[in-house]
Amino acid sequence: MSDQIKQIQATYQPIEDRILFQLHTQQQQCMQAWITRRYLKLLIPALQGQHPQTGETIVQHQHPVERQLRQEKAQLEGDFEKPYEEPENLEHPLGDTPILLAKMTFRNLDGPEPQLALEPDEGAGIQLGYNPELMGVLLKVLSKALTKADWSLDLEPILDMPDNFTLQ
């Protein structure tokens, strides 16, 4: 995604037993996707910097402590209490209904701008910059929805972080 992200929201929908993930960009595009428990179980390690199947570090050129500090800094700077506001006249490049996420693809991991693609089984998906700041924000947003879902998935490093944590 080349547009800058303006807002991100993840809400648990009990009737669907899925998390509705929404984001809209500065360029007035809105993307919506359903995240299932199975998909989130694979996504969590990827957001924490580990390959979902092997557990190996995905991007090797960054020191883990530096990565964690950048994630936490991004989380602290975000306004997570402000409700998601969908402005009028948003474009929906993936369609008006949410896509069902089924796979993820890592691109350009050795390059200057690595990417994570969240994709349905067929068709276009959501392209995100794979950087510590954004991954940290996604973890924080998804952790709130995960708490309501009660899916018993482990997000220990994120859920145990106190709300008033400060970087020194």
Side-chain angles (χ1 to χ4, degrees):
M1 170 183 306
S2 59
D3 297 337
Q4 235 184 357
I5 296 172
K6 184 174 181 177
Q7 267 188 325
I8 298 175
Q9 179 184 33
T11 54
Y12 176 66
Q13 304 292 315
I15 292 175
E16 296 282 343
D17 194 27
R18 298 177 181 169
I19 293 174
L20 178 59
F21 177 72
Q22 298 174 293
L23 65 84
H24 77 262
T25 68
Q26 298 289 355
Q27 300 300 317
Q28 298 299 87
Q29 290 189 333
C30 178
M31 300 190 197
Q32 304 176 89
W34 289 116
I35 299 176
T36 62
R37 182 186 186 283
R38 178 196 63 81
Y39 190 86
L40 189 60
K41 189 174 181 178
L42 293 172
L43 183 58
I44 289 169
L47 296 178
Q48 293 174 336
Q50 298 174 339
H51 191 280
Q53 295 170 326
T54 65
E56 294 178 16
T57 301
I58 295 173
V59 179
Q60 298 293 332
H61 65 274
Q62 200 170 83
H63 191 275
V65 172
E66 176 188 341
R67 184 175 212 281
Q68 182 178 355
L69 289 174
R70 289 176 67 189
Q71 281 180 344
E72 291 168 354
K73 182 177 184 288
Q75 291 168 5
L76 293 170
E77 291 174 352
D79 182 3
F80 296 102
E81 301 309 318
K82 182 178 179 183
Y84 182 83
E85 298 170 1
E86 186 169 314
E88 295 179 23
N89 303 323
L90 278 180
E91 294 178 28
H92 291 84
L94 301 178
D96 292 332
T97 59
I99 58 174
L100 178 60
L101 296 179
K103 57 186 175 180
M104 66 185 78
T105 306
F106 299 96
R107 296 187 177 114
N108 198 25
L109 291 179
D110 295 330
E113 296 181 23
Q115 291 188 334
L116 171 62
L118 309 177
E119 303 167 309
D121 198 32
E122 293 181 9
I126 301 170
Q127 309 294 321
L128 301 169
Y130 190 71
N131 60 67
E133 294 86 359
L134 181 55
M135 296 305 104
V137 167
L138 289 175
L139 277 167
K140 182 77 170 183
V141 168
L142 289 169
S143 73
K144 290 184 179 268
L146 181 58
T147 300
K148 292 182 181 177
D150 194 26
W151 285 344
S152 301
L153 295 178
D154 189 16
L155 277 179
E156 287 300 318
I158 300 304
L159 293 179
D160 285 345
M161 187 177 78
D163 290 335
N164 61 350
F165 179 81
T166 57
L167 291 175
Q168 300 296 324

